[in-house]
């Protein structure tokens, strides 16, 4: 009797073991996947930490550049204000060579200047085209001169070789 009871207990324990082993094997892929994800996230954190260091260096460099640019802008702004003040002072006093223009004369001058600019626009465009054509011709001439020099050098080398 005791052996039968022991066998039944063993069978019951074996069934429980098989059930638990099945549950464990069904959970194991999830465990492996989770371990891989943890490993990948750990690598990502390490990479991000390294990138953070370089970003901090870049940030400080950018801050220095911004501070330098701000200083330059401030100095240029103050220089511009000074120049404007000097211009207004010269404008009111005159430059000594001629008398100063009245506001009406200045307005007339600006109007004439704008009209002259409009009237000469076509001529300026034409001049620009001719200048570009001239520059292109000069570049082509320089290229041809370089080609001629190269060909002459080859011809000399060929005549020396024969």
């Amino acid at each position: 009797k005791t052996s039968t009871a022991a066998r039944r207990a063993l069978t019951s324990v074996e069934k429980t073991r098989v059930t638990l082993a099945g549950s464990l094997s069904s959970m194991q892929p999830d465990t492996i996947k989770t371990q891989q994800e943890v490993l990948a996230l750990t690598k990502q954190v390490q990479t991000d930490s390294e990138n953070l260091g370089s970003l901090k260096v870049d940030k400080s460099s950018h801050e220095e550049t911004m501070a330098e640019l701000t200083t330059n802008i401030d100095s240029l702004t103050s220089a511009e204000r000074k120049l404007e003040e000097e211009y207004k002072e010269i404008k009111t006093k005159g430059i000594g060579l001629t008398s100063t223009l009245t506001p009406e004369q200045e307005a007339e001058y600006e109007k004439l200047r704008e009209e002259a600019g409009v009237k000469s626009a076509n001529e300026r465009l034409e001049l620009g085209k001719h200048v570009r054509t001239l520059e292109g011709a000069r570049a082509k001439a320089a290229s041809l001169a370089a080609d001629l020099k190269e060909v002459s050098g080859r011809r000399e080398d060929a005549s020396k070789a024969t």
Side-chain angles (χ1 to χ4, degrees), residues 4-140:
T4 306
R7 269 185 278 176
R8 273 190 237 137
L10 180 63
T11 304
S12 172
V13 169
E14 185 62 25
K15 283 182 183 179
T16 305
R17 186 194 66 77
V18 169
T19 305
L20 290 176
S23 297
L24 178 64
S25 65
S26 69
M27 288 183 192
Q28 221 164 7
D30 291 338
T31 305
I32 292 171
K33 183 179 177 183
T34 304
Q35 288 173 343
Q36 289 174 346
E37 288 175 356
V38 166
L39 189 63
L41 289 174
T42 304
K43 288 181 181 178
Q44 184 66 37
V45 166
Q46 183 181 5
T47 303
D48 289 346
S49 296
E50 292 169 1
N51 289 342
L52 181 63
S54 66
L55 289 175
K56 285 181 180 178
V57 170
D58 289 347
K59 178 187 174 198
S60 66
S61 171
H62 290 305
E63 287 175 347
E64 291 172 4
T65 304
M66 289 300 293
E68 184 178 318
L69 288 174
T70 303
T71 304
N72 289 343
I73 288 171
D74 291 342
S75 66
L76 290 173
T77 304
S78 65
E80 180 184 20
R81 272 191 237 117
K82 287 178 185 176
L83 287 173
E84 285 180 13
E85 290 171 5
E86 288 175 11
Y87 172 73
K88 287 179 183 176
E89 183 180 323
I90 290 172
K91 190 176 174 184
T92 57
K93 287 182 181 178
I95 54 175
L97 300 175
T98 60
S99 61
T100 59
L101 299 176
T102 64
E104 295 83 23
Q105 289 173 329
E106 282 185 35
E108 181 67 22
Y109 169 75
E110 290 298 323
K111 181 181 172 188
L112 290 173
R113 190 169 145 208
E114 288 175 11
E115 289 175 1
V118 169
K119 288 180 182 178
S120 67
N122 291 333
E123 288 80 7
R124 284 183 281 125
L125 288 174
E126 190 68 28
L127 176 64
K129 288 179 188 176
H130 289 300
V131 166
R132 285 189 295 280
T133 304
L134 178 62
E135 288 173 354
R138 284 181 179 163
K140 189 173 182 179

